[in-house]
Amino acid sequence: MSEHALMSDPGTTGRFGDYGGRYVPESLIPACHEIEAAFRDAWADPGFRDRLTTTLTVYAGRPTPLTPARRLSRELGITLLLKREDLAHTGSHKINNVVGQALLAERMGRRRLLAETGAGQHGVATATAAALLGLEATVFMGERDIERQELNVRRMNVLGAEVVPVTTGSRTLKDACNEAMRHWVASVDDSYYCVGSVMGPHPYPWMVREFQRVIGEEARVQCGAELPAGVPDYVVACVGGGSNAAGTFAGFVGTTARLVGVEAEGGAAATSGRAGVLHGYRSLVLQDEHGQVREAHSIAAGLDYPGIGPEHAHLRDGGRARYATVTDDEVVRALVRLARTEGILAALESSHALAWVIRAAETGAVAPGSTVMLTLSGRGDKDIAAIKELP
């Protein structure tokens, strides 16, 4: 796998090796072409880029800091640095992508944003950006996730978004994606579908990665200032669809850092999936022996998804990134351990990445003295009700 091919423009086909593409109803093909053309035009426009950068700076709080986890580092025998996306406005990395897409929607003359959400953070970010720009927002959310993430539902309501419960299937993120795409088909002329991760038909996986690239680019500069070697030995992020990981990896893919994406054991498409088509793109998908999509499971609603972004599948196949899994119990223990050693309450999603680092350091899979940069993708206020018992 050549470096040139990694995390660059996939071209008009939207292919990352064997993955990606555009598998949508004929009625959505013109909309996808229109969004691709609009994004290419906007991304080449210094005025658009300046407005995005300014908004992320003065409104969303960028750059986010790189925080040394000093006490936990001593306990683990490594140097652990946390890229603090939990400190961005709305409490997660989702705001980076949503501000970019909302500005694009405004540029295209669309007045309504459609979105899917699992943990609710993408929904909150969409509602926030819509309020900022005077747009309408409709967010589709699985009924089960609405129960798990009541706080974020209330936040969306206060911000003026309509939250539509999805009662089909497993009533989680996969089903919310299904409903959002169905609604997009029926309202494509006046609505913009704001996809929350590096998934969906082309140009979304590429476009979302570019909007999230700011994470990796900031962290690369910050690591250069913080570490004697300039580059960490490991760069780690949690993966559901994989947007925070894609944005992080984009800043380090051309370096010597080892890239590690961490999935939920019950939603491990990169680890246990097979090639298939889901939500408009070809990637690795959890499937049964008949090729039907299997339900995913994770204590973290944002990782409760049976697929993975196509670029991650490509990185896995080429060996540039590796993907590992952790259990729900490990995740809760990691969340509590970070809270008690560093005073940082991380989201359950982010705690997957931390759980892997803890296990790898304690078993010697990550050697003593190694440097690890971990993207803390979101804060954990939303997850307190989900933690029934403390370890």
Side-chain angles (χ1 to χ4, degrees), residues 38-387:
F39 176 67
R40 289 186 181 279
D41 180 70
W43 212 230
D45 178 0
F48 179 87
R49 299 286 288 266
D50 286 348
R51 187 180 179 199
L52 174 61
T53 298
T54 298
T55 305
L56 291 179
T57 300
V58 304
Y59 183 71
R62 305 213 69 86
T64 57
L66 189 70
T67 301
R70 291 191 172 89
R71 290 186 62 208
L72 186 54
S73 292
R74 286 197 297 270
E75 290 182 6
L76 298 176
I78 62 174
T79 296
L80 176 61
L81 304 173
L82 306 175
K83 180 59 174 164
R84 299 292 304 282
E85 294 303 293
D86 59 312
L87 295 180
H89 182 44
T90 72
S92 84
H93 70 292
K94 295 294 187 181
I95 195 71
N96 307 322
N97 166 52
V98 169
V99 166
Q101 289 199 61
L103 290 174
L104 184 64
E106 181 187 60
R107 183 183 175 102
M108 295 173 67
R110 301 293 192 267
R111 302 303 305 167
R112 181 173 175 237
L113 302 180
L114 305 176
E116 82 295 323
T117 195
Q121 288 300 109
H122 176 58
V124 169
T126 300
T128 299
L132 176 67
L133 298 179
L135 306 175
E136 296 179 22
T138 300
V139 180
F140 295 86
M141 189 171 188
E143 194 174 56
R144 182 168 170 238
D145 290 337
I146 287 176
E147 295 169 359
R148 292 197 278 184
Q149 300 292 339
E150 182 182 359
L151 174 61
N152 277 341
V153 175
R154 290 181 178 274
R155 293 170 75 191
M156 285 182 265
N157 289 333
V158 170
L159 288 159
E162 177 189 12
V163 180
V164 179
V166 177
T167 60
T168 56
S170 61
R171 300 172 294 135
T172 56
L173 180 57
K174 172 179 70 71
D175 311 290
C177 291
N178 291 339
E179 290 302 317
M181 292 197 76
R182 288 192 191 103
H183 196 84
W184 188 31
V185 170
S187 60
V188 69
D189 291 335
D190 65 356
S191 299
Y192 178 96
Y193 183 19
C194 186
V195 174
S197 194
V198 284
M199 59 191 195
H202 179 62
Y204 284 106
W206 165 54
M207 180 169 63
V208 174
R209 180 250 287 163
E210 288 301 279
F211 284 138
Q212 293 291 6
R213 181 185 285 271
V214 64
I215 303 171
E217 290 180 344
E218 284 180 8
R220 177 73 181 86
V221 173
Q222 291 165 327
C223 285
E226 182 75 22
L227 298 173
V231 176
D233 297 314
Y234 294 86
V235 170
V236 187
C238 67
V239 176
S243 64
N244 92 91
T248 301
F249 292 175
F252 292 90
V253 71
T255 73
T256 57
R258 299 174 207 179
L259 309 180
V260 182
V262 186
E263 303 179 283
E265 188 176 62
T271 307
S272 306
R274 292 184 287 126
V277 174
L278 178 67
H279 297 140
Y281 65 102
R282 186 174 191 269
S283 188
L284 297 171
V285 182
L286 295 177
Q287 302 172 58
D288 64 20
E289 64 273 21
H290 305 295
Q292 298 300 306
V293 176
R294 286 199 291 113
E295 301 294 352
H297 165 75
S298 173
I299 191 173
L303 303 189
D304 212 343
Y305 185 69
I308 191 171
E311 194 162 27
H312 284 295
H314 182 52
L315 291 171
R316 188 209 73 161
D317 282 4
R320 182 58 190 96
R322 62 166 291 199
Y323 296 83
T325 66
V326 292
T327 67
D328 287 352
D329 287 344
E330 287 179 296
V331 169
V332 173
R333 288 198 298 270
L335 183 154
V336 172
R337 189 167 180 181
L338 183 67
R340 293 179 178 178
T341 56
E342 303 296 336
I344 297 172
L345 184 57
L348 284 168
E349 288 79 11
S350 312
S351 298
H352 282 67
L354 183 63
W356 180 84
V357 171
I358 291 171
R359 183 213 296 161
E362 291 183 338
T363 61
V366 167
S370 295
T371 54
V372 179
M373 200 290 293
L374 183 153
T375 296
L376 204 64
S377 59
R379 69 175 187 237
D381 311 46
K382 65 185 180 61
D383 294 319
I384 294 303
I387 303 173

